[in-house]
Amino acid sequence: MPDIGPIAVFGAGSWGTTFAKVLADAGREVTLWARRREVAEAIAGDRVNPDYLPDVPLPENLRSTSDPRVALDGADAVVLALPSQSLRHNLTAWRSLIDPTATLISLAKGVELGSLRRMSEVVVEVLGVPESQVAVVSGPNLAKEIAAGQPTASVIACTDHERAIAVQQACTTGYFRPYTITDVVGCELGGACKNVIALSCGMAGGLGFGDNTLATLITRGLAETSRLGVALGADPMTFAGLAGLGDLVATCSSPLSRNRTFGERLGRGETVQQALAAAHGQVAEGVKSCSAIRELALRHGVEMPITEVVHRVCHDGFDPREMAGELIGRKTKPER
């Protein structure tokens, strides 16, 4: 099994910076690419990311640049920590710079609008690599907690299990414990759908509903995510693990979750535009992905009522105050 050498991390947001720190703490040679030069210079000079993790010292072996050529020079692996809806555009621009044999590692959690592709599918399509060359990282990975060294576990999914193990070894630290699976479909759908369910949980919290409502949305959200996953060929057991239930609970429950806090603003009566302004540019992936996931479910004949309601709130002007009645008033049925 080949060892992974130098690693380029593209995307200096909270999670990209944190994962770059994890790799550096694991002893890897890491270069973090930031879109804005001033962020790259601050990381290089002050050893902090001033925009996203201003209180977290970054390791000395973590380099930074705003030049993709510099980041990709000699990189054995390329980590993609970019918003799901901009991944294709950026990859297309960098395609000629990426080593055709490099391991591609996706941190993005979403489904592309229009194509309805998962992120690994976008990578395969744009770069022309086999799916076995693409790994996916998912799990209960709230960036600020991991950056602070709080213990967590994660999942590395790749159809090539040996490659998954290589990525696992590259990012194992005393606080970050990755497991491996080969179910890329389930891992990616769990990561994408949990953002949508977290929006619904945030709306419920903003409306003043309590823990019973939260538990109901998490549980039924897991059920509809699993239905879609099984329809697309995922292993149903994946959704009971870290990439399913683990990620879902963290994202739906934590005030650190962008999707949860975005949903809370909607539940308190703010418009989508007001909530976007309050987020200061940080992306709540579920706002766009809910439409793609809804379309994917319709295409495969899968019922996803929570996703449907979230889409209507975010894009059709549906009032969140009507959400509970819409969901509770559905036709009664057995749980399974």
Side-chain angles (χ1 to χ4, degrees), residues 140-170:
N141 298 149
L142 296 165
K144 289 185 178 180
E145 292 184 359
I146 298 173
Q150 295 184 23
T152 192
S154 192
V155 170
I156 312 293
C158 186
T159 58
D160 178 352
H161 191 237
E162 292 297 307
R163 193 181 299 269
I165 293 172
V167 176
Q168 177 187 46
Q169 292 178 347

Side-chain angles (χ1 to χ4, degrees), residues 250-300:
T251 308
C252 290
S253 305
S254 175
L256 296 177
S257 162
R258 297 174 193 171
N259 290 278
R260 160 93 193 201
T261 54
F262 194 98
E264 285 178 0
R265 291 184 176 276
L266 299 180
R268 292 197 297 264
E270 293 185 22
T271 65
V272 171
Q273 290 71 29
Q274 289 170 328
L276 284 169
H280 303 295
Q282 295 212 37
V283 178
E285 287 278 11
V287 175
K288 291 185 177 179
S289 286
C290 66
S291 300
I293 293 167
R294 170 182 177 268
E295 185 63 31
L296 197 59
L298 290 171
R299 180 176 293 184
H300 291 273

Side-chain angles (χ1 to χ4, degrees), residues 45-212:
D46 302 329
R47 311 311 306 164
V48 295
N49 184 328
D51 288 358
Y52 294 100
L53 297 169
D55 301 321
V56 178
L58 297 174
E60 292 295 330
N61 59 325
L62 195 167
R63 300 189 302 164
S64 60
T65 183
S66 58
D67 185 340
R69 293 180 182 274
V70 172
L72 289 167
D73 185 24
D76 284 346
V78 181
V79 177
L80 301 164
L82 303 163
S84 59
Q85 305 308 323
S86 65
L87 178 62
R88 180 182 295 273
H89 171 77
N90 284 301
L91 268 185
T92 300
W94 301 326
R95 180 168 46 198
S96 64
L97 305 175
I98 297 174
D99 184 333
T101 66
T103 296
L104 294 312
I105 304 168
S106 172
L107 306 188
K109 296 179 178 180
V111 174
E112 187 178 48
L113 290 166
S115 73
L116 306 186
R117 297 264 198 284
R118 291 174 285 106
M119 295 299 97
S120 66
E121 293 178 311
V122 172
V123 175
V124 166
E125 184 177 294
V126 173
L127 298 184
V129 297
E131 64 176 15
S132 60
Q133 205 169 314
V134 184
V136 173
V137 179
S138 195
N141 298 149
L142 296 165
K144 289 185 178 180
E145 292 184 359
I146 298 173
Q150 295 184 23
T152 192
S154 192
V155 170
I156 312 293
C158 186
T159 58
D160 178 352
H161 191 237
E162 292 297 307
R163 193 181 299 269
I165 293 172
V167 176
Q168 177 187 46
Q169 292 178 347
C171 64
T172 298
T173 71
Y175 59 90
F176 190 81
R177 178 179 174 82
Y179 292 79
T180 60
I181 60 173
T182 57
D183 182 16
V184 175
V185 176
C187 188
E188 288 191 296
L189 287 177
C193 292
K194 60 93 183 185
N195 287 327
V196 180
I197 307 307
L199 283 170
S200 75
C201 291
M203 291 178 205
L207 289 163
F209 298 136
D211 291 338
N212 286 336

